[in-house]
Amino acid sequence: MKALTWQGTGKVSVETVPDPKIQEPTDAIVRITSTAICGSDLHLYDVLGMFIDQGDILGHEPMGIVEEVGAEVRHIRPGDRVVIPFNISCGHCWMCTRGFFAQCETTQVRDQGKGASLFGYTKLYGQVPGGQAEYLRVPQAQFGPIKVPDGHPDERYLFLSDVLTTSWQAAQYADIRPGDTVFVTGLGPIGQMSARIARHLGAGRVIASDNVPERLAMAERHGIEVLDTSKIDDIPAAVLELTGGRGADGVIEAVGMEAHGSPLQAAAVKGTGLLPDALARKAIDTFGIDRTAALTDAFGAVRRAGTVSIIGVYGGQADPFPMMDLFDKGVTLRMGQAHVKRWADEILPLLTGDEDPLGVDDLVTHRLPLADAPHAYEMFKNKEDGCIKVVLKP
């Protein structure tokens, strides 16, 4: 089969690799019909190469048609249309029975001190072959795959794999109450959907920041007030002004380590990626090299006794951390990888009808064949051609 493989920092290529096979009775093989590029994939592309091997298959936002199932897989069968959650969870361990699917104890990567295994995401998370490929072996398929109906194109359901469920968790973790003001840092795909979901969950006002014109325009189409960070130097001050000096009730930090405005930390991240793997891994684990501009904005914009929901991915230590200010303001912090299966049943009914209450149909900007994936990565990374979200078609 053809698959998108990592070949070195800033380099990916589509290669012919062996077809996946059933290895365990809880496996399934899925023929991929759509698979998206995530902002988290850019971390592998540019920064986290010390945790990935040449030839590893990337991708964690796939869906497709079931081709084969193992003997213990009973809730799906060949021919079913399914979305594959990005985290691999068993559904029956202590963590899973409490809804913490991203911390599944069956698939935890204990030798790396990490949570549940992820598709296409480095040795840190199990080095499981990813979904930017023609076929995918799905471990724990007795629980993971989400069966979806016909009647809509893939893109209506595809983002249950990550974007929608991650954004839903981000909004839930922001403790949104009817009429609240919510501030979202960053208007990439997660920020876009987090802002829309915040409105759906009852926020009276949603404000969001970014510096990419196409992202700002997309958010405005969905009733989001936008702050252009290329024109506004002090985003927290702007949020305070818009809220009468109080600040946002809830803040969703949807940027993470891709934050702009941290030139010294950005240089440290880039330099770390050039070190030998062993030294680079140690640096990321030890030193405060992550970019924290978005976090700083989030902490400054939240009101006293408010909540900050951190959904942007961080790959290293973040230092300095404003503990005195957070403690003084009484801020609640919630964060973590999305527990995909915890939220999927709530979201799916919003996708199946003729209406599109979450605006899912207005997210994908580019659809390309899998063969064009290297170009798509560069375009997405450099935010060229109005690129906000890419879907690849194997």
Side-chain angles (χ1 to χ4, degrees):
M1 71 171 182
K2 297 292 186 180
L4 191 281
T5 63
W6 188 86
Q7 297 295 332
T9 299
K11 184 179 180 182
V12 294
S13 65
V14 177
E15 305 289 342
T16 299
V17 302
D19 289 352
K21 299 182 183 300
I22 296 287
Q23 298 178 22
E24 302 289 342
T26 52
D27 287 350
I29 303 297
V30 174
R31 174 174 56 84
I32 302 302
T33 55
S34 294
T35 182
I37 301 176
C38 178
S40 298
D41 292 326
L42 297 181
H43 305 157
L44 310 183
Y45 189 63
D46 276 338
V47 178
L48 299 178
M50 68 289 297
F51 297 108
I52 192 168
D53 290 336
Q54 185 175 5
D56 281 358
I57 301 172
L58 304 183
H60 59 269
E61 297 186 358
M63 69 174 292
I65 306 300
V66 177
E67 292 282 304
E68 185 181 359
V69 298
E72 296 181 15
V73 178
R74 297 183 177 88
H75 83 292
I76 57 171
R77 61 185 180 180
D80 284 346
R81 189 185 193 197
V82 294
V83 174
I84 309 302
F86 76 93
N87 41 32
I88 303 169
S89 49
C90 71
H92 57 72
C93 70
W94 190 93
M95 286 289 180
C96 285
T97 57
R98 287 157 178 81
F100 302 127
F101 301 113
Q103 307 298 338
C104 173
E105 291 181 323
T106 300
T107 72
Q108 272 180 20
V109 188
R110 290 181 172 83
D111 62 345
Q112 299 290 337
K114 295 295 185 285
S117 296
L118 310 179
F119 286 102
Y121 217 80
T122 78
K123 298 172 186 175
L124 293 174
Y125 289 98
Q127 208 166 18
V128 181
Q132 289 169 6
E134 292 180 319
Y135 293 90
L136 178 68
R137 171 182 167 254
V138 181
Q140 303 299 323
Q142 85 290 344
F143 176 70
I146 302 165
K147 187 175 177 180
V148 297
D150 294 323
H152 289 293
D154 280 4
E155 287 86 346
R156 177 64 72 92
Y157 303 112
L158 175 61
F159 304 119
L160 284 170
S161 62
D162 184 350
V163 176
L164 275 175
T165 44
T166 293
S167 300
W168 192 275
Q169 176 170 301
Q172 293 285 354
Y173 278 15
D175 194 25
I176 297 168
R177 300 180 184 183
D180 274 0
T181 294
V182 176
F183 171 56
V184 180
T185 68
L187 284 167
I190 299 297
Q192 295 284 346
M193 294 312 307
S194 293
R196 298 176 205 179
I197 290 168
R199 286 179 57 85
H200 177 77
L201 293 178
R205 187 180 191 187
V206 181
I207 305 164
S209 63
D210 206 291
N211 63 357
V212 179
E214 293 83 1
R215 292 178 172 186
L216 296 169
M218 178 179 278
E220 287 184 310
R221 289 200 296 270
H222 295 272
I224 311 304
E225 299 175 56
V226 299
L227 300 173
D228 187 341
T229 60
S230 68
K231 299 177 181 178
I232 300 172
D233 291 331
D234 192 335
I235 291 296
V239 174
L240 290 173
E241 182 177 352
L242 288 170
T243 56
R246 177 178 292 162
D249 301 293
V251 174
I252 298 170
E253 202 291 83
V255 179
M257 64 188 291
E258 291 297 309
H260 295 276
S262 307
L264 293 177
Q265 287 164 311
V269 169
K270 185 175 181 180
T272 299
L274 299 176
L275 293 171
D277 285 357
L279 292 177
R281 287 192 290 266
K282 183 67 174 177
I284 283 182
D285 286 343
T286 305
F287 302 116
I289 63 168
D290 236 329
R291 287 176 273 186
T292 57
L295 270 180
T296 300
D297 284 351
F299 295 157
V302 70
R303 67 162 166 80
R304 291 181 176 275
T307 301
V308 175
S309 170
I310 303 171
I311 205 67
V313 172
Y314 286 87
Q317 303 300 319
D319 185 48
F321 206 75
M323 280 304 302
M324 182 174 72
D325 290 341
L326 293 172
F327 182 83
D328 175 66
K329 290 175 74 170
V331 173
T332 296
L333 299 181
R334 297 194 72 181
M335 67 193 79
Q337 299 278 11
H339 307 296
V340 173
K341 293 281 289 199
R342 181 173 176 177
W343 314 112
D345 288 346
E346 292 183 57
I347 302 170
L348 188 56
L350 301 173
L351 307 177
T352 55
D354 293 333
E355 296 184 0
D356 181 20
L358 301 182
V360 176
D361 293 343
D362 183 24
L363 183 65
V364 177
T365 55
H366 292 75
R367 297 167 180 84
L368 297 169
L370 181 64
D372 290 346
H375 166 65
Y377 266 77
E378 276 297 296
M379 179 174 58
F380 186 38
K381 170 190 171 182
N382 296 320
K383 303 177 179 68
E384 298 169 345
D385 192 34
C387 183
I388 295 174
K389 188 64 176 178
V390 180
V391 172
L392 301 172
K393 300 290 186 175

